[in-house]
Amino acid sequence: MSFKVNTMASVETTILSIIFMVFLGYILKQVDLLKETDVDVLNKIVINVALPAMVFITVYKTDFFILQHMATMPLVGIILGFCCGIAMYLFFTLKKYPEKKKWALILPASVGNTGFFGFPLTLGIFGSEGLIRAIFYDISTLIMFLSLSAILIFKFGGKIEDSLKSLFKFPSLWALILGILLNFLNISIGEILDVSINYLAAATIPLIMISLGLSLQFKGIKEDITSTSLVAFVKLIISPFLAFFVLGFLGFSNLEYSVGIIEASVPCSMLMLVLAIDNDLDYKLTANCILISTIFSLITIPLIMGFL
């Protein structure tokens, strides 16, 4: 019982901290201290430097015995992603949505913001032990990204080479592999590199949240509000509901179970906006799904955590 009370207190603190940092970014944009164009710079720093540093140092310092038990974590995200994606495909097909509009909605329903949103949550609530499990769960996002890329290429005539390049150029993937390798071989990186990477890792979450605040765009949110709200509902409510059963069926318990529920509850992935733009879909719909789901996740996630 004490675990649940402490966890709920941590959830409230973490959520409020996230809200504060997100709206700090939004306010900085409103007073012209930062501009919306600065999002690209911040995201480049996060994706190429800070986030890989956090992934590497977390995996590198985790007991290798624990790492061996994390191999099936991505399976949860893959199962949930395909279930939600297929459900939305069937629904919007029955509603006879145009193909590019339909897929612009399927993408955000299929993949959650397990890295940019899930990492701060799990780190704030469960510390580094929760974060390592979230990192392995996040592998499902890379797999879903590649799978959806292949589907869109088949449908709209893109190039598989471009998707493979995007995947294999993703720095966090190599940080994960390098961290596991050095951990397994018990190779020391030295005190200076250790401290430097920790400093870079500490910058990840504030930069992510401020960048998210800079990205907030409330204009045009009323367009297609019914379809985008449905996608948000599927991602924030249906996905975690299914996760209760999937995690139990796969035999997860304790911390893995709790982290799995949190990661299944996060809003739509910002990475899907890249796919929508690259494939010339109705990307404004994708952006609205991300925005609506992000706003309402600040309400739904604490409620869902109350059932753990």
Side-chain angles (χ1 to χ4, degrees):
M1 185 67 177
S2 61
F3 170 77
K4 185 174 181 179
V5 172
N6 290 337
T7 298
M8 286 310 298
S10 299
V11 171
E12 292 171 3
T13 301
T14 302
I15 290 290
L16 289 173
S17 299
I18 286 174
I19 291 172
F20 173 79
M21 286 187 284
V22 168
F23 278 96
L24 174 61
Y26 183 75
I27 291 168
L28 290 174
K29 179 174 68 172
Q30 298 305 308
V31 298
D32 281 335
L33 283 177
L34 290 175
K35 300 184 182 299
E36 192 175 334
T37 51
D38 294 330
V39 170
D40 290 337
V41 176
L42 290 179
N43 284 344
K44 283 180 181 178
I45 294 172
V46 170
I47 291 171
N48 296 295
V49 182
L51 187 58
M54 185 171 74
V55 169
F56 171 81
I57 206 67
T58 303
V59 174
Y60 174 71
K61 291 191 172 183
T62 300
D63 190 312
F64 191 77
F65 177 77
I66 296 175
L67 294 182
Q68 292 174 295
H69 293 274
M70 297 295 100
T72 54
M73 283 294 285
L75 185 59
V76 180
I78 294 169
I79 292 172
L80 295 177
F82 275 108
C83 285
C84 293
I86 290 170
M88 290 292 90
Y89 175 84
L90 293 174
F91 179 83
F92 291 121
T93 299
L94 288 172
K95 290 290 184 179
K96 298 182 180 179
Y97 272 51
E99 286 295 300
K100 293 203 171 185
K101 186 174 182 179
K102 177 171 70 177
W103 281 98
L105 293 164
I106 293 170
L107 291 179
S110 304
V111 185
N113 208 352
T114 53
F116 268 43
F117 206 93
F119 288 0
L121 271 176
T122 51
L123 182 61
I125 297 168
F126 299 114
S128 59
E129 288 190 7
L131 178 61
I132 186 64
R133 286 155 176 83
I135 286 171
F136 273 83
Y137 187 105
D138 187 56
I139 294 173
S140 65
T141 296
L142 297 177
I143 295 171
M144 289 298 295
F145 178 85
L146 183 59
S147 301
L148 290 166
S149 294
I151 292 170
L152 292 173
I153 286 166
F154 176 77
K155 287 194 67 65
F156 302 112
K159 295 182 179 179
I160 190 68
E161 294 85 357
D162 293 339
S163 295
L164 287 172
K165 285 179 182 178
S166 298
L167 178 66
F168 288 108
K169 284 168 64 177
F170 198 59
S172 291
L173 174 63
W174 295 107
L176 175 66
I177 294 171
L178 184 60
I180 293 173
L181 183 64
L182 295 185
N183 187 320
F184 175 71
L185 297 175
N186 197 26
I187 297 175
S188 172
I189 60 174
E191 186 177 357
I192 294 175
L193 197 55
D194 190 320
V195 172
S196 299
I197 293 174
N198 272 290
Y199 278 135
L200 292 171
T204 306
I205 291 170
L207 288 178
I208 286 174
M209 295 298 104
I210 290 173
S211 174
L212 183 57
L214 287 173
S215 303
L216 289 180
Q217 284 277 6
F218 295 102
K219 295 178 181 178
I221 198 171
K222 292 182 179 179
E223 296 177 14
D224 293 290
I225 189 67
T226 303
S227 55
T228 52
S229 295
L230 176 61
V231 169
F233 177 80
V234 167
K235 194 70 205 69
L236 300 177
I237 304 299
I238 302 300
S239 176
F241 177 76
L242 291 175
F244 280 105
F245 298 99
V246 173
L247 287 161
F249 178 77
L250 293 176
F252 287 104
S253 60
N254 301 323
L255 188 54
E256 286 82 9
Y257 185 87
S258 298
V259 170
I261 295 297
I262 290 177
E263 289 285 41
S265 308
V266 297
C268 305
S269 173
M270 290 186 283
L271 195 59
M272 293 302 99
L273 186 58
V274 175
L275 278 184
I277 293 171
D278 286 349
N279 289 277
D280 195 29
L281 306 181
D282 190 347
Y283 64 87
K284 289 183 180 179
L285 276 178
T286 307
N288 284 342
C289 289
I290 294 168
L291 176 58
I292 291 171
S293 64
T294 299
I295 292 171
F296 282 102
S297 69
L298 302 177
I299 300 170
T300 57
I301 290 175
L303 293 175
I304 290 167
M305 286 297 295
F307 289 100
L308 295 180

